[in-house]
Amino acid sequence: MADTGQVLVEHKFFSDLEEAFRPLVGGCAKMIIFEAGQYLFHDGDPAEWFYLVRYGRVALEVVAPGRATLTFQTIGESDVLGMFWLMPQSHWTHDARALELTHAIAINANCLRQKCERDHDLGYDLMKRFVPILLRRLESAQLQMLDVYGHSK
Amino acid sequence: MFEIVQLGEQAVITLEGLAALLFGLKRRDFRLIGPTLRDQAIVYDDIDTIADLPRGWSDEQDGGRYRLVQRGDDRLFGYAVGPQSWKHYLHPPMLSLWRAEKRERGFEIIAPDETLPRFAFLGVRACELKAIAIQDRVFLGDSFTDPHYRRRREGAFIIALNCSHAGGTCFCASMNTGPKVEAGFDLSLTELIESDVHSFLVEIGSVEGVELLAEVSSREASSEDRAQAEAVVANTAANMGRKMEADGLKELLARNLDHKRWDEVAQRCLTCANCTMVCPTCFCTSVEDASDLAGEKAERRRRWDSCFTMDFSYLHGGSVRNSPKSRYRQWMTHKLSTWFDQFGTSGCVGCGRCISWCPVGIDITEEVHAIRESEVK
Amino acid sequence: MAIQNELTATLPITDPMLPRLTRVLVRRREGPETLTLELEAGAAAPAFLPGQFNMLYAFGIGEVAISMSGDPAVADRLVHTIRAVGETSTALTRLEAGDHVGVRGPFGAGWPMEAAYGCDVIVVAGGLGLAPLRPALYRILAERERYGKVVLLYGTRSPTDILYRHELERWRRRLDVQIEVTVDYANGPWHGHVGSVTTLIRRTDFDPLHGIAMVCGPETMMRVTALALKEAGLKEDAIYLSMERNMKCAIGFCGHCQFGPHFICKDGPVLRYDRLGDLLRLKEI
């Protein structure tokens, strides 16, 4: 298997990660593969990992009794999955299921949070990477919620 | 009798001369339209002779106010513009475009077969000539032409009028659209009353005008006649009831689409659409189907519409311009700003009708002034 | 007095408000409230440009502006995809093959097909906004060698709302065009994207310096799409939007479709973003 630190910078999200931070982040990371149909995690699970998708596609789903499973977002190549790691002791509020064979880098949240506490430069670097993703997700969710295609054009 | 040989020449006719002019038009089967009294206002309607004109009447106009008053003299044209404009005839409030009739499978479209008499318009003021030119640009000046407007417009014989009375809401002088008529007429009149002599200085604007005037007894205009006529116009220009600060108006409004004044004016505006109905340049219409009860016949009708209605901007599910603020802004910015982008001129000719006929007296010159002042501060 | 306009003097009097009568050839259901009518074009029908529209008249009800959504190279029929939202559009969706319909058009300014020669073309469609873009796609694919990279990013409500599904699947099999479809939500077997169309823009590679975008969809979607395209490096004058407003005449006389200085019917419906930008930010224009 390829070196984790190397794979990390091959991913778009960390491609410009400073040399000094690479072993820090890499030390918390592992390579992981999900078969099509396999769940990355379930609703209610502790949010202990987040994922950088290398190849494949993951559906984020919610299930309500008596209703079909609803996919509200798909995560694909070079995307990041899971923002909950930023908050200690939080839980996933949806399922994540691989739609096809998916290769990902899983990063342990607890491990990375501790390193950020010790090295605020690393923490600040990660904040700058994650905040735009959070805001884009929020914007996307807002558009989906507006149901713009519903009864306007 | 003096012989007119070229356009631009001036002659003087008497009251009888004017009567003969009108008779000449009637004899040529023109449909003669001119100012006349109706419903306590001076409106443009069918007239036969000078007896139908509002002799001795004038008007008092102000924001939300129009009253007829006796002048105490015999002027035939001693008033400003009333609620109507010539667009009633050139661009009628309601028009049948075509009809459709149901057939075995489907329907048939039946084009209209319109025969129209030629119009002769008496007493078209400078601001109104400008308004007609503006509507010419809208309906005839682009890739499509409106055949209905064109048929009415092309045959129209225009007797213009230099205003002798400035209305309380007039501001043509500051819009550079009057009170002197410059072009676009067949004949123009300046009404002169000097020590019991009632006459009209006539300027000839077209060959047809020459022909008509040739049938009427007239004399060559003297330099005194010309001076008198010029004094009439100068006096009118000096007595405008309103003033519009027109410099840079297009840009002023374009950069103030978010101005708080729109909220302020919306507090007063009833969105009644009166201003758009009386405006001589407002051209918006709606087209709708009218069908018989059996559903066998349908008629496509065009009628005046107004940007003040909710339906005007309706787009599957709701109106784009929901608030009175946005509708007033649309009207005023179109008139004074985007009209330039669309047609190369202002859409306002300074006739003041929108001020007089606004039930709450909103004054377009005052609204412009307020926005302009706020920038100075 | 003669009109101060020499232009009209020589023109014959024709009535641009008078429709031609034509018949429905094919009626095809596209989705829950949406269907496509194929009308007989007839000899009188002028060729159309991708992005133009027709006014369709339903007997006794009224007229409505509907985009051309067929192949501009096919001259014998007019293809219109219609969603039943109002009285007239609902009446049109009830027409059967053989029924009469009145047609005026084509009207308006279309997509910048020639200006896009040599450029990467990013086509972004939202919902029914794919309909006016389809003629542009037909044209691009017909002269594929004239264009750079071609991408269609299509966002719609849910998988059952996808328009022209078979065509999209056929195009997707081509190797010279990238087709990405995203839905707001999926509740069945769906292997495509879920999320807003803006997320697709951020995942797409194209040359922003030699790129041109054609965007059509609900105004909210077009506003955020234009911003995402700008962020991706496209210049404002390389982004084209197809706008929609109430229309009664389609020839600049009725005044209804004004959007600031623009008449959507004759200056648009396709307008360049740099000429719209400020107005799009204001409410109730």
Side-chain angles (χ1 to χ4, degrees), chain A residues 71 74 79 136 144 147 150, chain C residues 83 157 184 186 194 203 231:
Chain A
T71 305
T74 48
D79 284 344
R136 292 300 181 205
Q144 289 166 263
D147 193 22
Chain C
R83 179 182 286 181
R157 198 182 193 197
D184 279 349
V194 179
R203 284 177 193 162
E231 286 166 18

Side-chain angles (χ1 to χ4, degrees), chain B residues 110-153:
Chain B
I110 301 151
D113 186 18
E114 237 185 350
T115 44
L116 292 166
R118 286 183 66 188
F119 282 119
F121 295 148
L122 172 64
V124 182
R125 287 126 196 291
C127 61
E128 299 183 308
L129 279 174
K130 178 67 184 163
I132 290 170
I134 286 173
Q135 289 210 330
D136 286 352
R137 172 69 184 84
V138 173
F139 292 123
L140 308 173
D142 233 302
S143 43
F144 292 100
T145 57
D146 175 9
H148 307 280
Y149 182 85
R150 188 176 160 188
R151 278 192 206 102
R152 287 161 175 76
R153 176 70 182 91

Side-chain angles (χ1 to χ4, degrees), chain C residues 2 21 36 62 169 173 181 190 195-196 220-221 239 244 251 274:
Chain C
L21 199 60
T36 294
E169 282 167 0
R173 286 197 291 273
V181 181
W190 171 247
S196 76
T220 315
M221 168 265 175
I239 303 171
E244 191 180 17
I251 50 180
D274 59 328

